[in-house]
Every structure is written in C-alpha cells, then in structure tokens.
Amino acid sequence: ADASYLGEYHLNVPRSERVEIGDVQSFVFNDAGRPPKFKDGVPAYDLHADVMEENKMNKGELIKAINIYNNVHSQNKISTNGSADELRERMVSHKLPTTRSSKKVLKVGFLGKPKGMLQVMWERGFINPEAGSERPNADECRKIISAWPDFMSENNELEDLGVQLGVTVIFTPKAHCEIAGRGIEYCWGLSKMAFRRGAKTKKKDLKVKVRLYIKSGPDDILNFRVVRKFAALARRYKLAYRKLHEEKGDEALNYADIEKVCKEFKTKRCAVDFDYKLIKKEFEAYLALRQ
C-alpha cells in the first residue's frame, strides 16, 4: 500500500488495527489476535457442540460414497442417476450408511473468513473512529472502495484465467450483445432456437441434446458459413459504433436519443430477440440441408 490507499482517519485508528504504507492488506481474517472490529463476541475458531449428531448426506456426498462402493464392487454397481432420495433408497438396499456424524457448529469463528467492506475500510482509515455506530451503508462503501487504485486495477477471475492461458481477455459493453466477440451471441441465439424447436427431451438426455446444437462443423448447425456470416455482422456493428464515436465523440452519450436506446438495452437480450428474422432464416436453411 502507498499513501493513496489510506484514508483521512488513518492515524486515528489504533496501530495494531491499521494498515501502514508498504504493508500488504489481506482481505481474509488470518490473525487470531486481530478480531473483527464491528462484530463483538465472535470467536477465532468455530465452537462445536460436545455431542455428535447425525445428518443426511447431500446428493454430492451420496454420489461420492456410491462411487467408492462401485470401485470395490465392479460386479454389483449402484447407479448414480436420480434424485437424492432415490440414491438413498439404493444405498439402504445395499446396507450402506446414508448419514454422516458431525458436531453441530454453535458459533462460527472469524479465522479464514472474508473481512467485508467495513473491516477493510477501517484498517485503511476510511471510517471515523469517533463516529460511533454511524457507519457507511453498503452502497456508500462500494462507492468509496471502487475509487481505490488497487480495486480499480484488480483483475477478475476470467482475466486471471486468461493470464494463465497466455491470452488477453477484452470485455465488450454489457447489454450490447450485437458486438460481443465475433458474433458469438448470434451463434448462441441460433443454437437456442434449434434447441427449443427440436424434439422434447427427457432430463437424462438433456446434455446430449445441448451438445448436438452447439456443435460446429461442416454439417452442423454452427457451420463455417453461418459462423463467418455472424462474425461479419458483428464487425459491421462495431464499425458503426466506432464511426459514431469518431463523429460525435463522448458528447454522443449525452444525446436524448442515446438515452432512449439505453432504456431499450437495459435488460439482458438475446440475438433471437433483436434479430429474429436473421436467426430464423439461418435455422430454416439448416433444416433444409437436413432434409
């Protein structure tokens, strides 16, 4: 941290509770000697009851137990398909336990838990120690934190994954799916139309049907011709946006007609909604090739 990371009340915060210039601030409680400032009586570690109690296994735990059984009994395997209740019935019929023993957590400890916005702001000196119970609400906290240098430059999980893969992740504006990627929303819209108009599918066959309509190949619904056509359409939209920006600059964002368009784009849209005729035309062309 440097001086730009610290607030006006930094020196009013006790030394043991504040972040100093050059420190690395953790957003998780990792010191038993530094409890939460705004939560009284929270233990460092979870407090458990003395008596063990039996709890039903959830579906994930049931499937894990069945897989362990199946690895040992290859000639008498138990199916992992179905609801949690169905899995329990099968396990009971094979005389397998369907519960787990654990001690009830009476009070959750703070170690290893996220600090939260108020705690992070307190450590940096953005909360007045003399204000008592008067503290910023959630919206005010977000507004203050969003202006911090480290938060402004913070990568999200998708960007971090891109770095690991050696690629750069570039985000297009939200709610403007016509310029997303290289026409990906048009491809998704065509796949959704084909999926919805296809034969009804049982739950167990759902994944197979989904894969059928997102396949890309010479004879598939997302064939090369369609993908290139959608990519060209998205590029035309991008060029149109760029031309508008070059002609009117940032001023264009203040025009009343842009505000009207923003209201139309307020909710998440799908290519099937804003370009139904094009999607339907390509879907019908795909059906014609299949016949």
Side-chain angles (χ1 to χ4, degrees):
D2 58 33
S4 65
Y5 289 58
L6 307 178
E8 59 179 307
Y9 305 110
H10 175 248
L11 296 178
N12 300 102
V13 178
R15 175 66 185 87
S16 61
E17 299 178 21
R18 70 182 185 227
V19 177
E20 296 291 350
I21 294 175
D23 290 348
V24 176
Q25 185 182 32
S26 172
F27 295 151
V28 175
F29 288 106
N30 54 15
D31 186 350
R34 299 180 68 172
K37 174 66 180 176
F38 304 106
K39 292 182 179 179
D40 298 327
V42 180
Y45 302 93
D46 293 348
L47 294 181
H48 296 88
D50 295 331
V51 182
M52 301 289 286
E53 62 178 10
E54 295 291 320
N55 295 299
K56 284 184 177 181
M57 292 184 185
N58 59 40
K59 187 174 181 179
E61 293 170 331
L62 293 169
I63 292 175
K64 186 176 180 180
I66 291 174
N67 287 333
I68 294 173
Y69 175 87
N70 289 342
N71 289 336
V72 179
H73 304 83
S74 57
Q75 302 299 322
N76 187 26
K77 289 187 175 183
I78 303 174
S79 172
T80 55
N81 295 327
S83 65
D85 290 334
E86 291 171 336
L87 296 180
R88 287 192 189 94
E89 289 178 6
R90 292 176 201 146
M91 290 181 68
V92 169
S93 66
H94 285 74
K95 297 182 180 180
L96 296 175
T98 59
T99 60
R100 49 179 167 74
S101 300
S102 61
K103 289 186 176 180
K104 183 179 180 180
V105 178
L106 300 176
K107 210 164 190 178
V108 178
F110 64 80
L111 278 181
K113 305 298 189 300
K115 288 182 175 179
M117 294 185 289
L118 281 175
Q119 181 70 27
V120 172
M121 290 173 62
W122 167 258
E123 294 176 1
R124 296 197 188 191
F126 282 87
I127 295 180
N128 186 358
E130 300 177 0
S133 60
E134 295 182 8
R135 296 189 286 269
N137 58 36
D139 290 336
E140 292 169 336
C141 288
R142 291 190 187 95
K143 185 176 181 181
I144 294 171
I145 291 176
S146 64
W148 292 353
D150 53 333
F151 274 76
M152 293 175 67
S153 59
E154 183 74 15
N155 286 346
N156 59 36
E157 290 185 27
L158 184 58
E159 290 173 312
D160 286 338
L161 178 60
V163 172
Q164 296 173 23
L165 297 174
V167 299
T168 301
V169 178
I170 301 175
F171 292 95
T172 50
K174 292 181 179 179
H176 290 268
C177 39
E178 65 273 11
I179 60 174
R182 293 184 172 86
I184 182 63
E185 287 293 341
Y186 286 97
C187 294
W188 184 240
L190 179 57
S191 293
K192 285 207 290 189
M193 176 177 284
F195 179 88
R196 290 169 180 171
R197 297 192 178 189
K200 290 185 177 181
T201 308
K202 293 182 180 179
K203 186 177 180 180
K204 64 179 182 179
D205 300 324
L206 179 62
K207 290 183 179 179
V208 176
K209 185 179 177 183
V210 169
R211 292 193 187 101
L212 174 65
Y213 292 118
I214 60 174
K215 287 174 65 179
S216 57
D219 300 321
D220 297 315
I221 188 166
L222 296 179
N223 55 69
F224 301 139
R225 181 191 64 81
V226 169
V227 171
R228 287 169 180 164
K229 181 175 183 177
F230 289 160
L233 182 59
R235 184 173 183 273
R236 287 200 296 272
Y237 270 111
K238 291 176 184 178
L239 292 174
Y241 275 80
R242 182 174 180 177
K243 187 171 186 295
L244 176 66
H245 176 73
E246 289 176 348
E247 289 179 353
K248 300 182 179 180
D250 294 335
E251 263 183 48
L253 298 177
N254 296 322
Y255 287 0
D257 56 337
I258 297 298
E259 288 296 322
K260 182 179 178 181
V261 173
C262 285
K263 288 181 181 178
E264 296 175 3
F265 290 161
K266 192 173 181 179
T267 57
K268 178 173 173 56
R269 300 178 301 145
C270 166
V272 177
D273 301 325
F274 69 81
D275 222 333
Y276 176 81
K277 289 184 178 179
L278 174 66
I279 299 296
K280 184 180 178 183
K281 180 180 177 182
E282 292 302 331
F283 176 62
E284 290 172 348
Y286 166 73
L287 291 180
L289 290 174
R290 301 271 297 181
Q291 292 176 354

